[in-house]
Amino acid sequence: MEAMPYNRPMLLALLRKHDISPTHQRLEIAQVLFRRCHHLSADQILVMVNKRHAETSKATVYNTLNLFRDCGLIREVIVDPKRVFYDPNTEPHHHLYNVDSGEITDIAADALSVSGLPDLPPGMVTVGVDIIVRIRASDSLLG
Amino acid sequence: MEAMPYNRPMLLALLRKHDISPTHQRLEIAQVLFRRCHHLSADQILVMVNKRHAETSKATVYNTLNLFRDCGLIREVIVDPKRVFYDPNTEPHHHLYNVDSGEITDIAADALSVSGLPDLPPGMVTVGVDIIVRIRASDSLLG
DNA sequence: CTCTACATTAGACAAAGTCCAATAATTGAA
DNA sequence: TTCAATTATTGGACTTTGTCTAATGTAGAG
C-alpha cells in the first residue's frame, strides 16, 4: 500500500491522477479525509473544513464526497441508519462498530476469512463483501 | 425453528408471548411482516397495511416496528443508507444485497463461516456480526 | 360499566441528503 | 496573459426518513 498523501503536493497529485480538477474546496476535503485516516460523516467533514474560515458549502461537501466515491478514492461505510461514513481506506477490509459510541475501527481483511459464500444467481457479480462486527461495552444498559 | 405464524390466532399468540397487547394495527403490521417473509421498509409496510382501508398511521407503523425490534420479534437490516429494512427472520443469518434493484436475500448462517475475528477491546461484547454480500448484474452499467 | 393505563393519531418537527439556477473559478488555446 | 468555454460552487428550497407531541381513542381488569 502506498504512503498516505499528507501534504498538499501529494493530495494534488492524487486528485490529478484520478482526473479530478484540484479546486481549493476539494483539496481541503481531501486533506481532512486523508490526514487523519478516520471514518467521518459528511456533517463532520463540513464542520472540520470550515473550522478556520467558512469557505465550503454543504452542497460542495456532498458533491465532492460523491465524486471521490465514484472515482474510488474513498468508500462509503453503511453501519448507522442515520448517516453514511466515508472511509479513506479503499483496501479490502472490514469494520468493528461500537453501537453505543458510534466509533468505527478497521479490521484487516487478511486477518479474516469467510468460507461458504453461496453461488450467485446467474449473471450476477459480487461488488463487495462487508463484514460489520457490532460491539458494545459489556456493562452497558442492554447487557 | 418454529413454524411461521401465518394466521390471526398464531400472530395473536406471538404478540401475547412477548407481552405486546395485540391491537388491531399491530396485528395488521405483524401479518404483513410474517405472512410473506420479506425484507420491508417502514414505508412499504405503511402502504401494504393501508391497502384496503386506511387504518394505520405513519407514527404507529414506526412505533410498532421499534417495539417489535426491541422485543426481538424482528431485526433491522442496514444495507441502504436511504432506509432501514425489517427482517422477520431473527435467526442468525446474513444477506445478499442487489445494489441495483434493492432486493435483499437471506444467506443461511450455517452455510457460512468466518474465522480470524479480532479480539475485542477489554470490556466489550459482540452484539452481532453482519455480513452483506453486495451484488449486481454483470452487464450493468458500472460493469 | 367505568376507570385507568396504554395506543393511536395528525401534523409539526428534525436531520441527511439532493436539486436548482445563479455566480465564480479553472483551464486550455491563442 | 487574456479570453471564452467549461466546470465547480453556492444558498436555499426541497425531499425523504424518522421522531415527537399533545389530544383523542380503546381495551380490559375489577
Side-chain angles (χ1 to χ4, degrees):
Chain A
M1 191 171 114
E2 52 195 308
M4 272 297 151
Y6 284 101
N7 52 35
R8 287 276 163 159
M10 288 177 87
L11 290 169
L12 212 141
L14 181 70
L15 297 196
R16 286 212 200 284
K17 194 172 74 182
H18 289 265
D19 287 314
I20 296 170
S21 53
T23 64
H24 183 53
Q25 289 87 341
R26 286 169 178 173
L27 279 166
E28 286 292 327
I29 292 167
Q31 191 163 53
V32 163
L33 281 163
F34 292 105
R35 268 272 174 88
R36 292 193 160 274
C37 211
H38 279 155
H39 304 83
L40 298 171
S41 68
D43 201 60
Q44 291 173 318
I45 291 167
L46 180 62
V47 168
M48 293 175 76
V49 148
N50 289 319
K51 208 77 183 188
R52 300 190 162 198
H53 318 290
E55 48 196 4
T56 306
S57 70
K58 184 177 71 156
T60 296
V61 169
Y62 279 102
N63 288 344
T64 301
L65 290 171
N66 290 338
L67 176 68
F68 285 3
R69 185 243 291 124
D70 292 345
C71 293
L73 231 85
I74 60 177
R75 190 217 270 198
E76 291 182 344
V77 180
I78 299 162
V79 287
D80 177 347
K82 292 218 179 306
R83 61 187 90 53
V84 171
F85 289 92
Y86 292 89
D87 189 342
N89 178 2
T90 54
E91 304 289 312
H93 68 281
H94 304 289
H95 295 103
L96 219 54
Y97 179 61
N98 184 322
V99 297
D100 292 331
S101 69
E103 192 190 0
I104 300 173
T105 318
D106 284 355
I107 303 173
D110 51 16
L112 183 154
S113 78
V114 185
S115 62
L117 284 177
D119 291 336
L120 299 188
M124 288 290 173
V125 224
T126 299
V127 177
V129 178
D130 293 347
I131 303 182
I132 298 146
V133 181
R134 288 171 202 276
I135 61 175
R136 68 153 196 269
S138 50
D139 58 359
S140 119
L141 288 179
L142 300 163
Chain B
M1 189 170 112
E2 53 196 307
M4 271 299 149
Y6 283 102
N7 52 34
R8 288 276 163 160
M10 289 177 87
L11 290 170
L12 212 138
L14 181 71
L15 297 196
R16 285 210 201 285
K17 194 172 74 181
H18 288 265
D19 289 313
I20 297 169
S21 54
T23 64
H24 181 53
Q25 289 89 341
R26 286 169 178 173
L27 279 166
E28 287 292 327
I29 292 167
Q31 190 163 54
V32 162
L33 281 163
F34 291 105
R35 268 273 173 86
R36 293 191 161 275
C37 211
H38 279 155
H39 304 82
L40 298 171
S41 68
D43 201 61
Q44 291 173 317
I45 292 167
L46 180 62
V47 169
M48 292 176 77
V49 147
N50 289 319
K51 208 78 183 189
R52 299 189 162 197
H53 319 292
E55 49 196 3
T56 306
S57 70
K58 185 177 69 156
T60 296
V61 169
Y62 279 102
N63 288 344
T64 301
L65 289 171
N66 290 338
L67 177 68
F68 284 4
R69 186 244 290 124
D70 292 345
C71 293
L73 232 86
I74 60 177
R75 189 217 271 197
E76 291 183 343
V77 181
I78 297 162
V79 287
D80 177 348
K82 292 219 177 305
R83 61 187 85 54
V84 171
F85 288 93
Y86 292 90
D87 189 341
N89 177 4
T90 55
E91 304 289 313
H93 68 282
H94 304 289
H95 295 104
L96 220 53
Y97 179 61
N98 184 322
V99 297
D100 292 331
S101 69
E103 192 190 1
I104 300 173
T105 318
D106 284 356
I107 304 173
D110 51 16
L112 184 153
S113 78
V114 185
S115 63
L117 284 177
D119 291 335
L120 299 187
M124 288 290 173
V125 226
T126 299
V127 177
V129 178
D130 293 347
I131 302 181
I132 299 147
V133 181
R134 290 171 201 275
I135 61 174
R136 66 150 198 270
S138 50
D139 58 358
S140 118
L141 288 181
L142 300 165

